[in-house]
C-alpha cells in the first residue's frame, strides 16, 4: 500500500510544496469555486495528508516494508504523520484547516444561508469562537416578512364568547363572525395586507395543561401543534402559556373581580334619621351637651358678673340647672333662649358652644340629605375577603382559564383557601362560559370570579348584576402565535399603533357600551358612597369645644379672684379670707338668689361712695352707702 502511494507522494507533494514555496500561498487557494462540500473536504484531506507525508519524508527515512491485510502489523511512522497533521494550518477549499489536541477540527467558520425568492443568500456566518453573526439588517428582514405576509392567508383559531367573538347569519345564509376581537383582527389585517380564515376551537377552551400528561388543550394546544397561525380571543397572557407559545403586546389590561347579583334594597328604618352620624358621635354629642351645661352652671355661679339685682336686698343668677340645660339645648337646636350670658367667661363658653353646634348641625344636615336620596342596598358580599369567610354563597371561575390557575398557584392564604373550597365543592362551581356564569349568578346563590372586562360587559347589559370589589391581580389580553412565529413582532407593532390612535378604546366603547341593549341607571353609583360621619370626621370640633370650656373656666376663676381682691380692699380684710367667704357662698348657696344690701353697682360705689367695712352679718360683694 505504501509502495503504491510513494509515487503519488513524490509527485504531488513535491509539486504542491514547491508551488507554495514559490508563491507563498497554497496552490489550492485559487481553486475556491462553488463545488460540493464533500468534494472540498476530500480535496483538503488529501492535501493535508500529502503535506504531512512530505514533511515526514524530508525529516527521516521512511523506508517501508510490505504490509499485510491479514496480519496485525503497524506502520512505525504513523504517529509522526498524525502528530504533524495536527500542527498543520492552511486555508483549504472548505475554509481554514486547523486541529486541536484531540485531532478535531477547530477555528473554522460556516456561512449562514437563507432561502429567498431569488434563491439561497448569505445572511451571516458562524464560527466556534463567536457563534452566529447575522449580517442581514433588521430592515431587510422586516421588509421580507412583510412581503411574505402580504396577500397570504393565516389560519386563525378563536372561541365564541361575546363581546370578543360572536356569530351571525348573513342574508345569503353563510355564518359570519363579529365582535371586538374580529374588529381588532380586521384592523391589523388591513394594515399588514393579509387574509385569514377563522375556525372555532373544538373543545371550547382557551388552553390549559393536563398535570398528568403535560399536554395542552384548547387554542394553546392547536398553536403548539401548528394547526393555527394565530389565536385571537379574550385570552390572558400567563407565564405557563408564554413558555409554550408566544404572545403579542397586550391590547387590553384587566384583572380578576367578582360578579354578583344585586341585592334587594334595604327597607327604610324607623330611626333612619340617626344614620348620618355614628352611634359613637351621638354619644359624644350627648356627653358634650351635659358637660357644657354643667360647666356653664358652675362658671355662672363662680363669676360675680352673672349675679344681678332683682330686688332691694337680693342678687339673682339666671343660670340655674334647668336654665343651663335649656340654654345649651336651645343653641343646639339653633333656636336660642331668653337666657343670655353676662360675664366674659360665660360668653366664651357660649360662643364656643354655638360654633360647635354650627359645625355639627351643618354636617348632619348635609349627610342627611345624601342618606335620604340614596337607595341603600343590603349587600352581603363586598370583597373577596367576605367570600372567603363564608360558605353560604358558592363561588367559582371559568373552567380551564387563567383565573382558575391564579387561585390554584397563589401563595396568599386567602386565595389558597378559596381554591380548596372551589375544588371540594359539589356540584362543581366551575363554569364553561360567561353565559353559564351569568345564569348561575341570577338563579343561584352564586358569585363568579372572572376577568373584569367580561364582567363589565355583563353588568352593562343586565341591570340585575353588579361588580363587587376591586381587581385581585393585573394582566393583559394578547394575540397568541406559535413559538418562534415571525409575525408576532409585526402584529405587536400594529397593536401599539392602534392604541396610540385610540382605535382600541373606540372598539371597547362600541362593544361594551354602545352595543348594550339595556341602559342601566348608574347615576347613583357615586352617591352610594355616602357613609356615616364618625369621630375621625368631626373629632376636631370636640377638641375646639373642650378648649373653649377650659378657657371659660380660667376666665371665670380670674373674674372671681379679681372681684375678691377688690372686695378685700373695700372690706379691709385679708384677700384669702375674702376668697374663702365668696367660695363658701358660691358652693353652699344652691338657689338662684342671695342676700344683697347694695342698691348700686360696685363700680359706681367705688366712684361716688365711701367704702366702709362689712359687718359680720352682711353678704359678700356688698358696699354700704354713706347716706344710709
Amino acid at each position: 500500500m505504501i509502495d503504491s502511494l510513494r509515487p503519488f507522494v513524490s509527485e504531488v507533494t513535491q509539486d504542491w510544496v514547491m508551488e507554495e514555496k514559490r508563491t507563498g500561498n497554497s496552490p489550492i487557494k485559487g481553486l475556491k469555486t462553488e463545488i460540493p462540500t464533500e468534494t472540498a473536504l476530500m480535496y483538503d484531506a488529501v492535501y493535508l495528508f500529502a503535506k504531512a507525508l512530505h514533511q515526514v519524508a524530508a525529516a527521516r527515512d521512511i523506508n517501508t516494508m510490505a504490509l499485510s491485510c491479514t496480519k496485525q502489523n503497524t506502520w512505525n511512522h504513523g504517529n509522526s504523520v498524525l502528530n504533524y497533521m495536527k500542527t498543520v494550518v492552511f486555508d483549504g477549499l472548505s475554509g481554514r484547516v486547523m486541529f486541536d489536541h484531540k485531532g478535531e477540527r477547530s477555528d473554522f467558520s460556516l456561512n449562514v444561508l437563507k432561502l429567498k425568492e431569488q434563491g439561497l443568500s448569505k445572511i451571516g456566518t458562524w464560527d466556534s469562537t463567536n457563534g452566529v453573526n447575522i449580517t442581514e439588517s433588521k430592515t431587510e428582514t422586516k421588509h421580507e416578512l412583510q412581503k411574505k405576509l402580504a396577500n397570504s392567508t393565516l389560519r386563525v383559531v378563536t372561541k365564541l364568547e361575546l363581546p370578543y367573538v360572536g356569530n351571525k347569519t348573513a342574508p345569503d345564509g353563510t355564518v359570519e363572525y363579529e365582535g371586538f376581537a374580529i374588529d381588532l383582527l380586521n384592523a391589523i389585517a388591513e394594515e399588514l395586507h393579509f387574509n385569514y380564515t377563522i375556525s372555532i376551537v373544538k373543545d371550547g377552551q382557551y388552553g390549559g395543561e393536563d398535570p398528568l400528561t403535560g399536554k395542552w388543550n384548547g387554542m394553546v394546544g392547536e398553536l403548539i401543534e401548528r394547526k393555527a397561525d394565530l389565536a385571537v380571543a379574550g385570552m390572558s397572557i400567563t407565564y405557563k402559556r408564554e413558555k409554550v407559545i408566544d404572545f403579542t403586546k397586550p391590547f387590553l389590561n384587566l384583572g380578576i373581580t367578582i360578579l354578583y347579583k344585586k341585592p334587594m334594597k334595604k327597607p327604610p328604618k324607623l330611626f333612619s334619621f340617626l344614620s348620618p352620624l355614628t352611634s359613637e358621635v351621638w354619644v359624644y354629642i350627648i356627653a358634650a351637651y351635659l358637660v357644657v351645661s354643667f360647666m356653664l352652671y358652675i362658671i355662672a355661679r363662680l363669676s360675680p358678673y352673672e349675679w344681678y339685682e332683682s330686688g332691694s336686698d337680693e342678687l339673682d343668677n339666671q343660670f340655674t340647672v334647668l336654665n343651663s340645660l335649656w340654654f345649651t339645648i336651645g343653641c343646639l337646636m339653633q333656636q336660642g333662649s331668653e337666657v343670655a350670658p353676662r360675664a366674659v367667661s360665660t360668653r366664651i363658653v357660649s360662643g364656643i358652644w354655638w360654633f360647635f353646634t354650627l359645625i355639627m348641625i351643618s354636617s348632619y344636615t348635609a349627610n342627611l340629605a345624601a342618606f335620604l336620596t340614596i337607595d341603600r342596598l343590603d349587600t352581603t358580599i363586598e370583597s373577596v375577603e367576605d367570600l372567603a369567610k363564608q360558605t353560604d354563597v358558592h363561588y367559582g371561575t371559568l373552567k380551564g382559564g387563567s383565573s382558575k390557575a391564579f387561585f390554584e398557584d397563589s401563595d396568599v392564604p386567602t386565595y389558597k383557601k378559596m381554591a380548596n373550597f372551589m375544588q371540594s365543592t359539589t356540584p362543581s362551581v366551575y363554569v364553561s362560559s360567561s353565559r353559564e356564569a351569568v345564569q348561575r349568578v341570577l338563579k343561584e346563590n352564586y358569585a363568579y370570579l372572572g376577568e373584569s372586562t367580561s364582567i363589565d360587559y355583563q353588568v352593562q347589559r343586565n341591570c340585575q348584576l353588579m361588580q363587587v370589589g376591586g381587581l385581585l391581580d393585573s394582566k393583559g389580553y394578547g394575540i397568541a402565535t406559535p413559538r418562534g412565529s415571525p409575525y408576532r413582532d409585526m402584529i405587536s407593532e400594529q397593536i401599539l399603533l392602534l392604541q396610540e390612535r385610540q382605535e382600541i378604546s373606540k372598539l371597547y366603547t362600541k362593544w361594551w357600551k354602545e352595543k348594550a341593549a339595556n341602559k342601566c341607571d348608574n347615576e347613583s353609583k357615586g352617591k352610594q358612597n355616602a357613609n356615616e360621619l364618625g369621630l375621625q370626621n368631626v373629632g376636631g370640633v370636640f377638641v375646639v369645644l373642650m378648649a373653649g370650656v377650659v378657657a371659660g373656666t380660667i376666665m371665670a376663676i380670674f373674674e372671681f379672684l379679681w372681684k375678691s381682691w377688690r372686695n378685700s380692699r373695700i372690706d379691709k380684710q385679708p384677700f384669702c379670707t375674702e376668697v374663702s367667704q365668696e367660695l363658701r357662698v358660691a358652693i353652699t348657696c344652691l338657689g338662684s338668689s342671695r342676700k344683697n344690701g347694695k342698691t348700686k353697682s360696685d363700680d359706681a360705689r367705688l366712684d361716688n361712695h365711701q367704702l366702709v367695712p362689712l359687718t359680720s352679718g352682711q353678704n359678700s360683694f356688698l358696699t354700704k352707702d354713706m347716706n344710709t
Side-chain angles (χ1 to χ4, degrees):
M1 177 178 180
I2 296 298
D3 292 335
S4 62
L5 190 61
R6 181 178 293 276
F8 172 79
V9 174
S10 60
E11 180 179 353
V12 175
T13 59
Q14 287 181 6
D15 294 341
W16 285 358
V17 172
M18 293 300 294
E19 180 67 20
E20 184 174 1
K21 288 181 179 180
R22 184 177 64 83
T23 62
N25 296 319
S26 172
I28 63 175
K29 190 172 184 179
L31 299 178
K32 291 184 179 179
T33 57
E34 292 185 1
I35 60 177
T37 305
E38 293 81 1
T39 303
L41 292 174
M42 184 181 299
Y43 192 97
D44 290 342
V46 172
Y47 177 76
L48 174 66
F49 183 64
K51 190 173 183 179
L53 284 177
H54 177 76
Q55 293 294 334
V56 173
R60 64 181 68 180
D61 183 13
I62 56 171
N63 293 328
T64 59
M65 62 180 180
L67 298 178
S68 174
C69 295
T70 58
K71 297 180 180 180
Q72 297 296 328
N73 296 329
T74 60
W75 187 35
N76 296 332
H77 305 287
N79 289 332
S80 299
V81 175
L82 181 62
N83 291 333
Y84 181 80
M85 290 174 64
K86 292 180 180 180
T87 62
V88 172
V89 178
F90 67 96
D91 292 327
L93 292 181
S94 62
R96 190 171 182 80
V97 178
M98 181 178 179
F99 298 92
D100 58 14
H101 65 283
K102 295 181 180 179
E104 297 178 355
R105 189 161 177 182
S106 64
D107 194 19
F108 65 97
S109 61
L110 300 175
N111 293 332
V112 180
L113 304 180
K114 183 178 182 181
L115 181 61
K116 298 183 179 181
E117 293 182 356
Q118 64 273 19
L120 290 174
S121 176
K122 178 182 177 181
I123 63 171
T125 59
W126 179 93
D127 59 69
S128 58
T129 304
N130 301 317
V132 178
N133 179 26
I134 302 297
T135 56
E136 185 182 35
S137 65
K138 293 183 178 179
T139 304
E140 295 177 356
T141 304
K142 181 179 178 181
H143 181 68
E144 290 183 3
L145 286 176
Q146 288 177 345
K147 290 179 61 178
K148 181 180 179 181
L149 181 60
N151 300 323
S152 62
T153 301
L154 301 183
R155 299 166 297 173
V156 178
V157 62
T158 186
K159 174 185 177 181
L160 290 178
E161 183 176 11
L162 290 173
Y164 305 104
V165 180
N167 55 6
K168 64 178 182 179
T169 303
D172 58 357
T174 60
V175 177
E176 297 181 352
Y177 297 99
E178 62 177 0
F180 174 85
I182 301 300
D183 288 350
L184 177 63
L185 182 61
N186 289 334
I188 296 174
E190 183 178 356
E191 292 290 337
L192 298 179
H193 309 289
F194 67 85
N195 301 317
Y196 62 87
T197 59
I198 294 180
S199 62
I200 305 301
V201 62
K202 295 181 181 179
D203 58 5
Q205 303 295 323
Y206 288 104
E209 183 182 13
D210 190 331
L212 299 178
T213 62
K215 188 176 181 180
W216 287 79
N217 61 5
M219 291 184 286
V220 177
E222 294 198 14
L223 290 175
I224 295 175
E225 296 174 1
R226 303 282 174 168
K227 295 180 179 179
D229 300 309
L230 299 176
V232 182
M235 185 160 63
S236 302
I237 303 173
T238 63
Y239 171 73
K240 287 186 176 180
R241 291 173 179 170
E242 189 70 44
K243 292 174 66 176
V244 294
I245 60 175
D246 288 338
F247 281 95
T248 64
K249 299 292 185 182
F251 55 83
L252 281 182
N253 294 312
L254 59 142
I256 299 175
T257 187
I258 303 172
L259 179 66
Y260 194 53
K261 184 178 180 180
K262 278 187 179 179
M264 299 298 295
K265 295 180 180 179
K266 288 183 178 180
K269 296 180 181 179
L270 183 62
F271 296 98
S272 59
F273 64 89
L274 298 175
S275 300
L277 302 178
T278 61
S279 301
E280 184 183 20
V281 173
W282 282 116
V283 171
Y284 273 91
I285 291 177
I286 295 174
Y289 162 69
L290 296 176
V291 170
V292 171
S293 300
F294 175 74
M295 291 303 299
L296 194 61
Y297 170 73
I298 296 299
I299 291 173
R301 295 192 64 83
L302 190 62
S303 174
Y305 299 106
E306 284 297 339
W307 295 92
Y308 64 94
E309 298 179 7
S310 62
S312 58
D313 59 347
E314 287 186 351
L315 292 174
D316 288 337
N317 193 320
Q318 59 182 343
F319 281 100
T320 63
V321 174
L322 294 179
N323 282 350
S324 298
L325 294 171
W326 177 248
F327 174 78
T328 51
I329 196 64
C331 297
L332 185 61
M333 298 301 172
Q334 295 187 338
Q335 299 300 317
S337 66
E338 68 280 4
V339 181
R342 293 169 173 263
V344 175
S345 56
T346 53
R347 289 180 178 180
I348 291 176
V349 176
S350 301
I352 293 297
W353 177 250
W354 291 338
F355 175 77
F356 172 81
T357 56
L358 172 66
I359 299 300
M360 293 306 302
I361 295 301
S362 300
S363 302
Y364 173 81
T365 305
N367 212 29
L368 179 63
F371 268 82
L372 294 180
T373 55
I374 290 176
D375 294 328
R376 307 293 289 181
L377 299 178
D378 188 11
T379 306
T380 56
I381 302 298
E382 296 182 351
S383 64
V384 68
E385 287 76 14
D386 294 339
L387 275 178
K389 292 177 182 177
Q390 54 80 50
T391 56
D392 296 332
V393 178
H394 289 181
Y395 48 88
T397 64
L398 188 66
K399 185 188 305 180
S402 60
S403 300
K404 180 174 179 289
F406 168 78
F407 287 96
E408 293 177 349
D409 299 337
S410 176
D411 293 331
V412 179
T414 301
Y415 300 157
K416 291 180 66 176
K417 178 181 178 181
M418 296 176 68
N420 295 332
F421 177 82
M422 288 186 283
Q423 292 173 354
S424 60
T425 302
T426 51
S428 175
V429 294
Y430 299 111
V431 295
S432 57
S433 65
S434 298
R435 180 179 299 179
E436 181 184 350
V438 171
Q439 293 176 354
R440 293 192 65 172
V441 169
L442 293 175
K443 296 179 181 180
E444 306 175 15
N445 194 17
Y446 180 83
Y448 173 63
L449 294 160
E451 292 165 343
S452 57
T453 50
S454 299
I455 289 179
D456 184 26
Y457 177 80
Q458 300 297 337
V459 170
Q460 293 286 346
R461 283 154 178 75
N462 195 325
C463 300
Q464 299 181 16
L465 301 174
M466 68 176 183
Q467 178 179 328
V468 178
L471 302 182
L472 306 185
D473 64 343
S474 178
K475 53 189 174 184
Y477 284 162
I479 296 178
T481 64
R483 195 73 169 172
S485 172
Y487 307 131
R488 183 188 67 169
D489 293 338
M490 289 190 294
I491 297 176
S492 294
E493 291 178 0
Q494 294 303 317
I495 290 176
L496 295 177
L497 181 61
L498 293 174
Q499 287 178 338
E500 292 180 359
R501 294 178 180 175
Q502 298 184 356
E503 295 294 334
I504 294 181
S505 299
K506 294 177 183 178
L507 292 179
Y508 187 90
T509 303
K510 170 186 175 181
W511 286 100
W512 266 257
K513 299 180 181 179
E514 294 178 0
K515 291 283 187 178
N518 299 324
K519 301 293 184 179
C520 299
D521 183 13
N522 296 323
E523 294 181 357
S524 61
K525 283 185 177 180
K527 299 179 181 178
Q528 290 183 357
N529 293 327
N531 297 319
E532 299 174 333
L533 294 179
L535 190 61
Q536 66 274 13
N537 303 112
V538 294
V541 71
F542 284 95
V543 176
V544 174
L545 178 63
M546 186 183 302
V549 172
V550 173
T553 304
I554 295 174
M555 180 57 69
I557 295 174
F558 175 76
E559 291 174 346
F560 177 81
L561 296 177
W562 171 256
K563 196 66 175 180
S564 299
W565 178 77
R566 293 186 63 184
N567 287 343
S568 66
R569 291 178 59 193
I570 297 173
D571 297 341
K572 294 183 179 180
Q573 61 178 345
F575 174 70
C576 293
T577 303
E578 186 69 27
V579 170
S580 62
Q581 289 178 359
E582 296 298 336
L583 189 59
R584 189 182 307 114
V585 171
I587 295 176
T588 58
C589 183
L590 300 179
S592 60
S593 301
R594 55 193 290 184
K595 294 292 183 178
N596 181 20
K598 69 180 181 177
T599 58
K600 297 181 180 181
S601 65
D602 293 335
D603 293 337
R605 292 174 66 84
L606 287 173
D607 295 335
N608 303 321
H609 298 82
Q610 179 181 351
L611 298 177
V612 297
L614 288 172
T615 61
S616 60
Q618 292 176 317
N619 281 322
S620 59
F621 301 142
L622 304 179
T623 61
K624 187 174 182 180
D625 196 302
M626 291 179 58
N627 298 326
T628 301

